[in-house]
Amino acid sequence: MTKILLMTTNGFPFKVENADLALPKIIGFITFILGIIALSVLIALSGWTKSRKTGIFTTIIGVLTFIVILINL
């Protein structure tokens, strides 16, 4: 994402076309989605260290959070 920021800033020394921004944009989106998945898994699994009831609750919350985030993309 820093590369996209640098390439779209006035004063960048090279000419930039839309095709040059495609790969950094795809990589940034994929890493963003992987981060959301990792956060949802962390939320879903965090309760299992406390008790079974808390684990079930946090798993349900983690799955629902993940589904809501995917729907809004």
Side-chain angles (χ1 to χ4, degrees), residues 8-63:
T8 56
T9 303
N10 289 335
F12 189 70
F14 305 111
K15 184 171 173 56
V16 179
E17 296 182 17
N18 286 339
D20 297 334
L21 299 174
L23 184 62
K25 184 171 71 171
I26 291 170
I27 291 172
F29 180 73
I30 289 172
T31 55
F32 178 72
I33 294 299
L34 287 175
I36 289 176
I37 291 170
L39 186 61
S40 295
V41 168
L42 182 70
I43 291 169
L45 296 178
S46 65
W48 290 101
T49 60
K50 188 76 172 167
S51 69
R52 186 168 190 257
K53 285 183 181 180
T54 307
I56 292 170
F57 177 74
T58 57
T59 300
I60 291 170
I61 295 299
V63 170

